[in-house]
Short mmCIF file of all heavy atoms in Angstrom, two decimals:
data_model
loop_
_atom_site.label_atom_id
_atom_site.label_comp_id
_atom_site.label_asym_id
_atom_site.label_seq_id
_atom_site.Cartn_x
_atom_site.Cartn_y
_atom_site.Cartn_z
N ALA A 334 -1.15 31.44 -0.12
CA ALA A 334 -2.53 30.97 -0.25
C ALA A 334 -2.80 30.45 -1.65
O ALA A 334 -3.53 29.47 -1.83
CB ALA A 334 -3.50 32.10 0.09
N ASN A 337 -1.09 27.11 -1.66
CA ASN A 337 -1.70 26.15 -0.75
C ASN A 337 -2.99 26.74 -0.20
O ASN A 337 -3.02 27.29 0.90
CB ASN A 337 -0.72 25.84 0.39
CG ASN A 337 -1.32 24.95 1.45
OD1 ASN A 337 -2.25 24.19 1.18
ND2 ASN A 337 -0.82 25.04 2.68
N PRO A 338 -4.10 26.64 -0.95
CA PRO A 338 -5.35 27.25 -0.53
C PRO A 338 -5.84 26.80 0.84
O PRO A 338 -6.54 27.56 1.54
CB PRO A 338 -6.33 26.84 -1.63
CG PRO A 338 -5.46 26.65 -2.85
CD PRO A 338 -4.19 26.05 -2.31
N SER A 339 -5.48 25.60 1.26
CA SER A 339 -5.93 25.11 2.56
C SER A 339 -5.36 25.94 3.71
O SER A 339 -5.88 25.89 4.83
CB SER A 339 -5.53 23.65 2.75
OG SER A 339 -4.12 23.50 2.80
N LEU A 340 -4.31 26.74 3.43
CA LEU A 340 -3.76 27.62 4.46
C LEU A 340 -4.83 28.60 4.96
O LEU A 340 -4.85 28.95 6.15
CB LEU A 340 -2.55 28.38 3.90
CG LEU A 340 -1.88 29.39 4.84
CD1 LEU A 340 -1.32 28.71 6.07
CD2 LEU A 340 -0.78 30.15 4.09
N ILE A 341 -5.71 29.04 4.08
CA ILE A 341 -6.79 29.94 4.47
C ILE A 341 -7.64 29.29 5.54
O ILE A 341 -7.93 29.88 6.59
CB ILE A 341 -7.66 30.33 3.25
CG1 ILE A 341 -6.80 31.01 2.17
CG2 ILE A 341 -8.82 31.22 3.68
CD1 ILE A 341 -7.54 31.21 0.85
N SER A 342 -8.05 28.05 5.29
CA SER A 342 -8.89 27.33 6.24
C SER A 342 -8.16 27.05 7.55
O SER A 342 -8.76 27.12 8.63
CB SER A 342 -9.36 26.01 5.62
OG SER A 342 -10.11 26.23 4.45
N GLU A 343 -6.87 26.75 7.46
CA GLU A 343 -6.11 26.45 8.67
C GLU A 343 -6.04 27.66 9.59
O GLU A 343 -6.24 27.54 10.81
CB GLU A 343 -4.69 26.01 8.29
CG GLU A 343 -4.62 24.65 7.60
CD GLU A 343 -3.22 24.35 7.09
OE1 GLU A 343 -2.27 25.00 7.57
OE2 GLU A 343 -3.09 23.49 6.20
N ALA A 345 -8.08 30.32 9.48
CA ALA A 345 -9.44 30.69 9.88
C ALA A 345 -9.96 29.80 10.99
O ALA A 345 -10.60 30.27 11.94
CB ALA A 345 -10.37 30.64 8.68
N SER A 346 -9.67 28.51 10.91
CA SER A 346 -10.17 27.59 11.94
C SER A 346 -9.43 27.78 13.26
O SER A 346 -10.00 27.59 14.34
CB SER A 346 -10.01 26.13 11.48
OG SER A 346 -8.65 25.80 11.27
N SER A 350 -12.17 33.65 11.04
CA SER A 350 -12.12 34.27 9.71
C SER A 350 -11.80 35.75 9.78
O SER A 350 -11.22 36.32 8.85
CB SER A 350 -13.46 34.06 8.98
OG SER A 350 -13.63 32.71 8.63
N TRP A 384 -10.88 33.06 -8.00
CA TRP A 384 -10.01 32.87 -6.83
C TRP A 384 -10.58 33.59 -5.62
O TRP A 384 -10.55 33.07 -4.50
CB TRP A 384 -8.61 33.32 -7.16
CG TRP A 384 -7.64 33.35 -6.00
CD1 TRP A 384 -6.79 34.36 -5.67
CD2 TRP A 384 -7.40 32.32 -5.04
NE1 TRP A 384 -6.04 34.03 -4.57
CE2 TRP A 384 -6.39 32.78 -4.15
CE3 TRP A 384 -7.94 31.04 -4.83
CZ2 TRP A 384 -5.92 32.03 -3.07
CZ3 TRP A 384 -7.47 30.28 -3.76
CH2 TRP A 384 -6.48 30.78 -2.90
N LYS A 386 -13.70 34.16 -4.97
CA LYS A 386 -14.85 33.38 -4.49
C LYS A 386 -14.38 32.12 -3.76
O LYS A 386 -14.94 31.75 -2.73
CB LYS A 386 -15.75 32.99 -5.68
CG LYS A 386 -17.11 32.47 -5.27
CD LYS A 386 -17.94 33.54 -4.58
CE LYS A 386 -19.31 33.02 -4.18
NZ LYS A 386 -20.09 34.04 -3.42
N GLU A 387 -13.35 31.48 -4.28
CA GLU A 387 -12.81 30.29 -3.62
C GLU A 387 -12.23 30.65 -2.25
O GLU A 387 -12.45 29.93 -1.26
CB GLU A 387 -11.72 29.65 -4.49
CG GLU A 387 -11.11 28.39 -3.88
CD GLU A 387 -10.00 27.80 -4.71
OE1 GLU A 387 -9.74 28.29 -5.83
OE2 GLU A 387 -9.37 26.82 -4.24
N ALA A 388 -11.51 31.77 -2.19
CA ALA A 388 -10.92 32.20 -0.93
C ALA A 388 -12.01 32.46 0.11
O ALA A 388 -11.87 32.09 1.29
CB ALA A 388 -10.08 33.46 -1.14
N GLU A 389 -13.10 33.07 -0.31
CA GLU A 389 -14.22 33.30 0.61
C GLU A 389 -14.77 31.97 1.13
O GLU A 389 -15.04 31.82 2.33
CB GLU A 389 -15.33 34.08 -0.09
CG GLU A 389 -16.55 34.33 0.79
CD GLU A 389 -17.67 35.03 0.04
OE1 GLU A 389 -17.90 34.71 -1.15
OE2 GLU A 389 -18.33 35.89 0.64
N SER A 390 -14.93 31.01 0.24
CA SER A 390 -15.50 29.71 0.63
C SER A 390 -14.58 28.96 1.59
O SER A 390 -15.04 28.14 2.39
CB SER A 390 -15.77 28.85 -0.61
OG SER A 390 -14.57 28.40 -1.20
N LEU A 391 -13.28 29.25 1.54
CA LEU A 391 -12.31 28.57 2.40
C LEU A 391 -12.17 29.25 3.77
O LEU A 391 -11.49 28.71 4.64
CB LEU A 391 -10.95 28.52 1.71
CG LEU A 391 -10.85 27.58 0.51
CD1 LEU A 391 -9.55 27.82 -0.24
CD2 LEU A 391 -10.95 26.13 0.95
N GLY A 392 -12.79 30.41 3.94
CA GLY A 392 -12.76 31.04 5.26
C GLY A 392 -12.15 32.42 5.32
O GLY A 392 -11.95 32.96 6.43
N ALA A 393 -11.81 33.02 4.17
CA ALA A 393 -11.27 34.38 4.19
C ALA A 393 -12.29 35.33 4.80
O ALA A 393 -13.49 35.24 4.53
CB ALA A 393 -10.91 34.83 2.78
#
Side-chain angles (χ1 to χ4, degrees):
N337 175 25
S339 65
L340 178 62
I341 301 171
S342 300
E343 291 172 19
S346 62
S350 290
W384 172 227
K386 193 65 179 176
E387 181 182 355
E389 179 184 39
S390 71
L391 289 169

